[in-house]
Amino acid sequence: MASFFRISAIVNMRSASAALALFFAATIVFFCVSAPRFATASTVENLMSGFSFVAILAMGQAFPILVRGIDLSIGAIVGLVGMIVFDLSLIGQLPGYLILPLALLAGALAGAVNGVLVVHLRLQPFIATLATLAAYRGLTYAISGRQLVPGLTTTPIRDPWLTGIETYFDVGGWLGLSRLVNMPWVPLSFVIMLAVFVVLQVLLTSTRFGRDIYATGGNHEAARLAGIRVNNVIIAAYALAGLCAAIAALIMVARFTTATEALGAGMELTAIAAAVIGGVSLAGGVGAMFGPALGAFLLGAILIGLTLQGVPQFVQQIITGAILLAAVGYDRLLSVRRQRRLTAASTAAT
Amino acid sequence: MTAAGPPLLRGTGLAKTYGNLVALDDTDFVVNAGEVRALIGSNGAGKSTLIKILTGAVTPTRGSVEISGEIAPLGDPSEMIRRGVACIYQHSNLAPAMSALDNIYLGRQPTRRFGFVDTRRQRLQAEELLAHHGIDIDLDARVGTLSTVKQKEVEILKALALEARVILMDEPTGWLAGADVVRLHNTIRTLKARGVGIVYISHVLDEIFAVCDTVTIMRDGRVVAESAVADIDRPRVVHLMVGEKLARESADAALKQRRPRGTGAVRLSARGLGKSGVFADVSFDLHAGEIFCLTGLIGSRRTELVRTLFGSDRFDTGTLEIDGRAVAPRTPLDGMSLGIGFVPEDRHREGLMLDMNVTENLAMATLERHCRGPLLSRSGMVRAGRRAIDDLSVQPRDGSKMVRLLSGGNQQKVLVGKWLSRGPRILILDEPTVGVDVGAKAEIYAILRREREQGAAILIVSSDLEEVMTVADRIGVMVSGRLVAVHDAGSVGMADIVREIGGGSA
Amino acid sequence: MSARSLSMPAALSAHVAPNALPIAVAVIIAIFALTEPAFLSTDNLVGIARQVAIIGIMAVCMTFVIMTGGVDLSVGPVLALAGLAAFYSLDAGFSLPVVILAGLSVGAVVGLANGMIVAFLQLPPIIVTLAMLSMVRGTALIVGGPEQHLIRNEPAYSFIGTGSMFGLPVSVYIFAAVAVIMILVQWRTPLGLLVAAIGDNERAARLSGHRTRFTKTLVYVICGLGAALAGIIQSSQVHTALATYGPFGTELDVIAAVVLGGTSIMGGNGSIARTLLGVFFLGILNNGMNILNVPIDIQLIAKGAIIVAALAIAARRG
């Protein structure tokens, strides 16, 4: 009996990720067959360069959701950090190696403010971050170098420390595989995404902090009674979301070599969608980093595939929505089944 | 046997008052090393207040607590945990999506540098703990997938990992089946052999005689008796719990007010009702003008049974007749149209809209009566509310008061009143007086008796034997999803019921 | 021990907090009136009413959704799609009632879908309506394409958004009518009571014999209808139907107005009348800051800060 529970537990826990990976594979196969020029190096390259920062945002968003919150402000944080980079580089003329840590710090701080509002002012996460969404976007306009020094509007950012993020590596060439097939060049942003993934995944699964996150999201009261400082854990979760938004902002600024006031607008919804598709439960305490990252690339693959198929962008929005609905529906189905199995198990003992 | 070891935990002169209400009055309490001490008493006897003081959840008005001879600071849960007092609460305190291993060390996993969890050491410690205490558990299983008894064991391990020397267990077998209770008791015996002091709170006398060494009996906020379990027998325990005088008085009063069975027509007739895996083969009749009490242990499926009568759950097998007509209510609305009213067990989660006012709560089941066409007559609601408030003497007599601000007893009156306003032909009440003070209890009983006189058929689910003996005309006993006996209240004693509830052993 | 004696600030907030919003509205009116006399001109006041009508209708209609513990993020694209539906029905030569019905039916259908998924499949409203936002926007873009559709020579239709009676714009009358109807629904029908009951304790409402799922579906339909009505007014006001109307952020403005009005995002307590206060508070704030030439950035920051402050006061109270 015990071994049965064990197996079913593992199957259950893995099944969400496994289903997502399978669905991702099926999507790829589907487009490879049906969409012209999908199975090419440039598609892979587009996917890697166009959705790595979305994956980073999604992984960041997973943290507030893991502690039963949500962060609507990360798109605004992207805009804010982007504008800080713009100002520091073009107006402040600061060197890039100083700007990078400052930008990350700003993102983490903006996130931490969200956490403080949730914890200490006892605001609902949805509302608190809705308010900071407006406030951060406003702050972005307020500090906008584009308005302070209108002449800079067309000046690109040239600092190699910043633009260097938009670098591509000919991995295929190094490995000698390019002689066999046409290999995509790997953008640095993808490498950064992988690094973020590894760091956050280790943080989540191998450190005390990770355990505290799961405990806080899974049973807030139990965590509190066990002496976990749940308030600090929650603030840290929001700070991590802000940090990830800052990383995403750096990638976007490097790509566009500039920042606009509207940078990142609406990104929070994509990030939430990717996280939920990736099996991060809105009920808290369930999820990891693999799902949100893959969820982002799944959304990306679908968008690119549909574009190549000539499906208008509008239909893509409908399909994205439908996938999101299917993802929460599937999550709900899993939890209903889990519940049913538990009651069955407990009554079977009677 | 009584003084198994040195005192681990000693409370002296503990008292707690809330305004005028004395919850705990000058109580001494000792737990020794290697002792399992039962703490029993009926609802409101002061058990939970005592426990809350010992865990630091409540600061006592007077008194002191010593742990291993040292005075402990009061009212600070983390300080109590640090000093080795752990509590296993009735409801789960585990994170369901995390592994058993992580739950055992929740918030205090051993770490290496940089906050990395030392999983190897954690596992070694846990396995040592398992071996030392002879508990067997799959450390990698997610707690949410474990059976209830295993979850209780995880909570016990969690307490042991804190090096708890005293473990308070609040109704630990509440949701456990018979075999699992035995398992848990074996675990407790192993702990006892290791010198852990255990406080075992339970309503189930069988368990107390099976596993406890000593017993402390509380009534009305004070300790009325302490004894070795070997030196006391069941009737004595029951008498001490209920209070001899009260037991006789209330029995007399109840006897006078009791009605012989079957004075009215059969209102509701269940034949062979069953729900797969929950309850089976339940047959009984409920007459007009009687109060029928279903009693049994928590987890004996009484609640599940009555919910299917009302329609908020469904039965699979058997037939249900109401007024001679076969019915199968599928929704609460069905139950209501059959003339049934249902006061659920948990008034906060299922009964009341706490942030709405008394008038609105009272009208919640009768909204259609206050409608004039599509419009709702607020003034009609207020009038009806005022009548009900006077009728039930809800305090304060203010319909615009938010229900959250009422005392437990008055909240319960509002909940009962909501159904009475429909004039139900059948009224089902699940644990109607939990958390209700003595005065309000008596008022609620009076209300129910009055409804009975007016011909309603009343079915009460109650674990409180005193209540059962006080109000019932007939008593049904459920054990593990079966109705094992039905008695005329006049012809049966409390001791017999106690024996039957425990499954007829001893 | 000292639990009985309320401290001064606590006592203060206990009295001030429930009336914080009316006080705040009065204060900002006073500030704007003193710094800029033009603020109190009839033209400007009428202008405020006209400006808030669209958001106001949506906020009034979303209040019930939020009271049941839900939220509807899909109102923006519904507004756009309803405008398009009205345009195409006009184009096809239907009469005005049919045109309006066509527009409203968009809201009813989307609301029904939202409501049924939330109520019967029990999926989280944030995600469901987020998905719906994406799907309805896509539909609007397929239907309307990215280009503007001009509504010309339709005096009857244009009257909805641009006409005026007795010196007040028609849209203001519509807003007032919707508000009055919804206030009536809240206070004088069982639905109003039921919505609060569901938000407070859904299980208890079900056990009291109410069809809670049906009611939950209904409130999303009402919300969708409100958004569609707003869409009709908007397209009529600017003589244009466009698939990207009601851009991202519209729903957040609507939610902000509701929540500022004291409706808890957790459900339960709420009042349509107070939502109106929230609507006017934000509307006056926007208008006043525009008159005073406060730059957009400060406006956004101020809006965020005010929402936080208002809710923090409310949270202290609870």
Side-chain angles (χ1 to χ4, degrees), chain B residues 28 88 144 288 365 377 400 428 487:
Chain B
D28 296 336
I88 294 167
S377 159
S400 63
I428 301 172
H487 301 284

Side-chain angles (χ1 to χ4, degrees), chain B residues 333 349-350 364 376 418, chain C residues 187-188 200 203 208-210:
Chain B
L333 207 56
R349 284 183 55 212
E350 301 206 305
M364 211 32 95
L376 186 70
K418 169 170 97 176
Chain C
W187 293 114
R188 295 304 306 272
D200 195 325
R203 286 165 69 161
S208 303
H210 298 297

Side-chain angles (χ1 to χ4, degrees), chain A residues 47-301:
Chain A
L47 192 56
M48 286 194 292
S49 67
F51 288 89
S52 289
F53 67 87
V54 180
I56 292 173
L57 284 173
M59 288 190 279
Q61 181 68 259
F63 281 89
I65 301 182
L66 275 172
V67 294
R68 266 184 226 190
I70 200 155
D71 189 346
L72 296 180
S73 75
I74 58 169
I77 296 179
V78 166
L80 180 62
V81 172
M83 195 49 72
I84 289 174
V85 171
F86 182 94
D87 289 353
L88 292 180
S89 181
L90 291 183
I91 302 177
Q93 299 285 335
L94 248 58
Y97 53 83
L98 281 182
I99 296 176
L100 289 179
L102 285 175
L104 296 180
L105 184 68
L109 265 179
V113 168
N114 285 332
V116 168
L117 293 181
V118 168
V119 166
H120 292 297
L121 292 188
R122 284 181 275 160
L123 298 184
Q124 282 301 310
F126 182 83
I127 296 301
T129 57
L130 173 60
T132 53
L133 181 158
Y136 291 156
R137 190 61 75 189
L139 201 56
T140 309
Y141 279 99
I143 64 163
S144 171
R146 294 170 161 272
Q147 329 234 311
L148 300 172
V149 190
L152 289 176
T153 325
T154 51
T155 318
I157 295 173
R158 290 196 197 285
D159 192 308
W161 282 87
L162 299 175
T163 54
I165 295 171
E166 183 72 1
T167 309
Y168 289 75
F169 302 113
D170 184 9
V171 176
W174 296 341
L175 296 174
L177 288 172
S178 295
R179 266 168 290 161
L180 306 172
V181 284
N182 189 13
M183 287 292 289
W185 287 35
V186 177
L188 181 58
S189 62
F190 185 73
V191 179
I192 294 173
M193 190 281 297
L194 285 181
V196 169
F197 167 75
V198 170
V199 169
L200 291 184
Q201 179 68 18
V202 167
L203 188 70
L204 207 47
T205 54
S206 304
T207 68
R208 173 87 154 265
F209 174 70
R211 299 287 204 280
D212 291 353
I213 290 259
Y214 282 121
T216 304
N219 190 336
H220 189 276
E221 186 59 15
R224 202 179 61 79
L225 287 177
I228 295 172
R229 280 189 235 157
V230 284
N231 285 355
N232 294 357
V233 171
I234 292 173
I235 293 174
Y238 282 91
L240 276 173
L243 184 69
C244 286
I247 297 172
L250 287 170
I251 294 173
M252 291 170 86
V253 169
R255 149 128 348 147
F256 305 132
T257 68
T258 189
T260 63
E261 292 89 348
L263 190 74
M267 293 298 310
E268 58 276 359
L269 297 189
T270 316
I272 293 169
V276 170
I277 288 172
V280 184
S281 166
L282 287 170
V286 177
M289 289 294 104
F290 177 73
L294 192 60
F297 286 109
L298 174 66
L299 286 176

Side-chain angles (χ1 to χ4, degrees), chain B residues 458-479:
Chain B
I458 296 177
L459 175 60
I460 298 175
V461 169
S462 178
S463 305
D464 182 348
L465 281 181
E466 193 183 332
E467 171 168 298
V468 171
M469 299 312 283
T470 309
V471 295
D473 298 321
R474 287 192 303 142
I475 301 168
V477 179
M478 274 189 87
V479 175

Side-chain angles (χ1 to χ4, degrees), chain B residues 10 33 53 60-63 87 89 115 120 126 142 146 149 173 240 255 263 311 314 319 335 344 361 370 384:
Chain B
R10 181 194 292 278
I53 290 172
T61 317
R62 279 191 311 279
C87 184
Y89 297 93
R120 247 193 37 194
R142 305 204 148 205
L146 292 175
V149 66
T173 56
L240 285 167
L255 216 54
T263 41
R314 295 171 199 176
T319 55
N361 269 280
H370 300 295

Side-chain angles (χ1 to χ4, degrees), chain B residues 124-199:
Chain B
L124 278 177
Q125 283 179 5
E127 277 167 357
E128 207 173 288
L129 208 60
L130 288 179
H132 186 70
H133 294 289
I135 299 174
D136 172 37
I137 231 165
D138 177 4
L139 289 172
D140 295 308
R142 305 204 148 205
V143 160
T145 65
L146 292 175
S147 63
T148 320
V149 66
K150 287 281 181 191
Q151 292 192 12
K152 284 284 178 211
E153 289 181 5
V154 172
E155 297 221 39
I156 291 173
L157 282 167
K158 197 170 137 190
L160 293 172
L162 288 163
E163 288 166 19
R165 287 170 299 170
V166 179
I167 303 180
L168 315 172
M169 298 185 183
D170 194 0
E171 299 271 0
T173 56
W175 299 101
L176 299 184
D180 289 338
V181 172
V182 175
R183 266 190 71 96
L184 187 74
H185 286 175
N186 287 336
T187 308
I188 289 174
R189 288 190 193 99
T190 327
L191 295 180
K192 178 177 126 181
R194 302 267 180 272
V196 176
I198 290 170
V199 180

